Amino acid sequence: MSPVRAVRDGAAIARRNLIGLRRTPGALVTGIAQPILFVIILAYVFGGTLGGGAYREYLVGGILAQTLTFNSSFTAVYLAKDLQSGLIDRFRALPMSRVGVILGRTVSDLVMSAISVLVILGCGLAIGWRASTGPGSVLFACILLLLFAFAVSWVGALIALTARSVEVAQSLGLLWLFPVCFISGAFVSADSLPSGLQAIARWNPITAVASAARQGFGNEVPPGFVSPGGWPGENPVLYSVLSCVVIIAVFAPAAVLQYRRISRR
């Protein structure tokens, strides 16, 4: 299948999904409310104990990485909804690229992720977060965050195509998110975790993405926190990019393969 055709079909599907999002603003409200609640709870319920204002600056990078990971559940739920409603069956009856159908879903969800980034940065400004670097570094950090969001959306796509029902996709889409997000250095120092979890947290891509965002914003580690160690901690940007490439290389072909299996039934 031609890559140009896949991109063209993906753009058409993404446009259709964005029109649907505009007509159902409740989904947009959910995507905006979730990061706001996390910022408020973690900044003011736990933030006083963990470092006050310094922790609130540290927190923003972790909230960004966690929220964009959680946004993969939107991909899982809405793609499963399209499958359950029979819309994907109609797409399969058309001369459309298999990659394009899934690409359209992941690209449209990237718009939701971009909105989430803007909302979190706005909330961060409201609670005292500031970027001490230039606009170029901040923009690069945001692009890296969106690359990560695009990568993990393919995980959600594979879950949806495997589950094939909204209820199962919603359950599976959330089941893996909590351990992946919280066994990391997104909110606490990875070295503060039990020894058996420290290595997992250090090599967790979410730790690297959060650290890369903090590096791009110029946010320092709060007093009492230890900077991430090991190669991923010393090279968070490079490790984040490599992680995104690996996630896409593994889950995008797996999602397309699963789509083809469904098509043959």
Side-chain angles (χ1 to χ4, degrees), residues 168-234:
V168 176
Q170 187 170 27
S171 299
L172 293 177
L174 291 172
L175 187 63
W176 67 281
L177 291 173
F178 286 97
V180 167
C181 288
F182 289 100
I183 305 177
S184 72
F187 305 117
V188 297
S189 172
D191 288 343
S192 69
L193 298 175
S195 58
L197 299 178
Q198 285 182 15
I200 297 173
R202 286 173 184 161
W203 287 91
N204 188 336
I206 292 176
T207 301
V209 171
S211 297
R214 291 171 186 133
Q215 189 177 94
F217 300 146
N219 299 147
E220 300 292 333
V221 177
F225 277 53
V226 179
S227 298
W231 188 85
E234 295 169 359

Side-chain angles (χ1 to χ4, degrees), residues 119-195:
V119 169
I120 294 168
L121 293 181
C123 289
L125 291 172
I127 65 173
W129 167 85
R130 296 294 183 271
S132 59
T133 54
S137 295
V138 173
L139 179 61
F140 179 79
C142 292
I143 291 172
L144 180 59
L145 287 162
L146 292 177
L147 174 63
F148 179 68
F150 178 71
V152 294
S153 68
W154 286 96
V155 180
L158 179 59
I159 289 172
L161 293 166
T162 303
R164 299 189 63 194
S165 74
V166 176
E167 295 77 14
V168 176
Q170 187 170 27
S171 299
L172 293 177
L174 291 172
L175 187 63
W176 67 281
L177 291 173
F178 286 97
V180 167
C181 288
F182 289 100
I183 305 177
S184 72
F187 305 117
V188 297
S189 172
D191 288 343
S192 69
L193 298 175
S195 58

Side-chain angles (χ1 to χ4, degrees), residues 43-147:
Y44 292 106
V45 176
F46 301 107
T49 303
L50 294 172
Y55 179 73
R56 288 196 288 272
E57 283 212 343
Y58 178 85
L59 174 67
V60 169
I63 288 286
L64 284 164
Q66 182 233 34
T67 299
L68 297 180
T69 307
F70 266 65
N71 281 0
S72 66
S73 64
F74 288 109
T75 304
V77 168
Y78 286 103
L79 185 55
K81 183 178 178 182
D82 288 343
L83 277 165
Q84 193 167 291
S85 67
L87 181 65
I88 300 297
D89 291 331
R90 292 195 287 273
F91 287 156
R92 291 205 302 264
L94 298 172
M96 296 184 67
S97 165
R98 295 179 178 89
V99 177
V101 172
I102 311 173
L103 182 64
R105 180 75 263 170
T106 57
V107 169
S108 61
D109 289 340
L110 192 60
V111 174
M112 174 70 80
S113 293
I115 293 171
S116 296
V117 169
L118 293 175
V119 169
I120 294 168
L121 293 181
C123 289
L125 291 172
I127 65 173
W129 167 85
R130 296 294 183 271
S132 59
T133 54
S137 295
V138 173
L139 179 61
F140 179 79
C142 292
I143 291 172
L144 180 59
L145 287 162
L146 292 177
L147 174 63

